Amino acid sequence: MPYPRRTDRDSIVSAAIELMQERGLDSVSLRAIATRLGVRQPGLYHYFGGKAELLDAVAEEILCRWHTDRLPVDGERWDEFVARNARSLRRAMLGVRDGARLIASTGSRSPSLDDAIEQIALLEDAGFSGTDAALALIAVSRYTIGSAIEQQTARDGGEIVIATDRTDAAASHFIDIARQVVALGQDHEFETGLAAFLRGLGPRARFAPQE
């Protein structure tokens, strides 16, 4: 079904997401979107000042559509929420081709105020200081984004490539371990790292950054 020649902000963002899905982030441009929508490129500047502004809107839309577990529910423990929130962010990024790279490149340090208030309050109620609560959420978010970027950009599809002709016991043992890790899958790998983060981020674990 062809796109209409009249367009608006939402249809421009949707067209950009479809282009990402089909061809990747680097294919997204105002020219390509104008061609897809059957309109003149200058008409898009009525809605977006340039590509950077468009990509900000695309990232926001991806998170709005698919990052759905952003708020704690009644009775939820802090670690249960942080894990659920991280999984939701990961699903949103992995659901769109190059989604993690887009979120990493456009992500703002200005969170949704209402979301942030509820998230910080949950961790403060669990014994975190406000600062430590914010640092914990930032750390898990960065881990989640980095993990998703690696998963989406790895040329080997998650394989652990070991270029060696060694056959000694130590090398064979390590190669066997690598095969077992790959067999467990990238979801398991992410969950293992997430669990380690949560164990280390408990409210009694005071953050002591190195100078």
Side-chain angles (χ1 to χ4, degrees):
M1 180 177 181
Y3 284 98
R5 291 190 176 274
R6 295 183 63 185
T7 191
D8 56 25
R9 185 180 177 89
D10 289 344
S11 63
I12 294 168
V13 171
S14 292
I17 293 174
E18 291 174 3
L19 276 171
M20 280 184 60
Q21 289 281 41
E22 294 171 8
R23 305 180 208 167
L25 177 60
D26 295 332
S27 72
V28 177
S29 68
L30 291 171
R31 176 179 295 180
I33 293 169
T35 299
R36 188 176 189 89
L37 293 174
V39 299
R40 294 177 182 270
Q41 181 178 340
L44 302 185
Y45 289 101
H46 176 70
Y47 302 97
F48 299 100
K51 182 176 178 179
E53 187 177 331
L54 168 65
L55 292 180
D56 285 344
V58 172
E60 182 179 355
E61 180 64 16
I62 287 172
L63 294 178
C64 286
R65 288 189 192 182
W66 295 298
H67 181 19
T68 55
D69 292 336
R70 303 189 194 194
L71 295 175
V73 298
D74 290 343
E76 190 171 27
R77 296 200 318 261
W78 73 268
D79 53 339
E80 292 174 338
F81 163 70
V82 172
R84 184 168 59 82
N85 183 53
R87 294 178 190 122
S88 175
L89 173 59
R90 180 171 178 260
R91 282 195 304 270
M93 292 186 293
L94 294 181
V96 179
R97 183 175 175 179
D98 292 335
R101 185 156 64 95
L102 172 68
I103 299 303
S105 64
T106 63
S108 170
R109 290 184 63 87
S110 300
S112 163
L113 181 59
D114 289 337
D115 290 355
I117 288 172
E118 289 198 42
Q119 292 169 358
I120 294 293
L122 176 69
L123 270 65
E124 286 182 319
D125 287 345
F128 287 80
S129 71
T131 300
D132 282 355
L135 289 172
L137 292 167
I138 289 171
V140 174
S141 175
R142 287 179 175 170
Y143 164 69
T144 303
I145 292 171
S147 173
I149 288 175
E150 183 176 1
Q151 184 169 340
Q152 287 189 318
T153 59
R155 290 180 299 172
D156 53 28
E159 291 293 324
I160 300 176
V161 179
I162 303 170
T164 182
D165 56 3
R166 286 175 51 180
T167 59
D168 57 278
S172 297
H173 179 59
F174 178 77
I175 290 169
D176 183 57
I177 290 173
R179 288 172 179 162
Q180 292 178 49
V181 169
V182 171
L184 289 170
Q186 290 171 310
D187 288 346
H188 185 91
E189 182 179 321
F190 170 75
E191 290 291 336
T192 299
L194 180 60
F197 257 102
L198 296 178
R199 286 194 299 271
L201 291 176
R204 292 193 181 91
R206 304 300 304 170
F207 300 164
Q210 295 182 349
E211 298 296 334

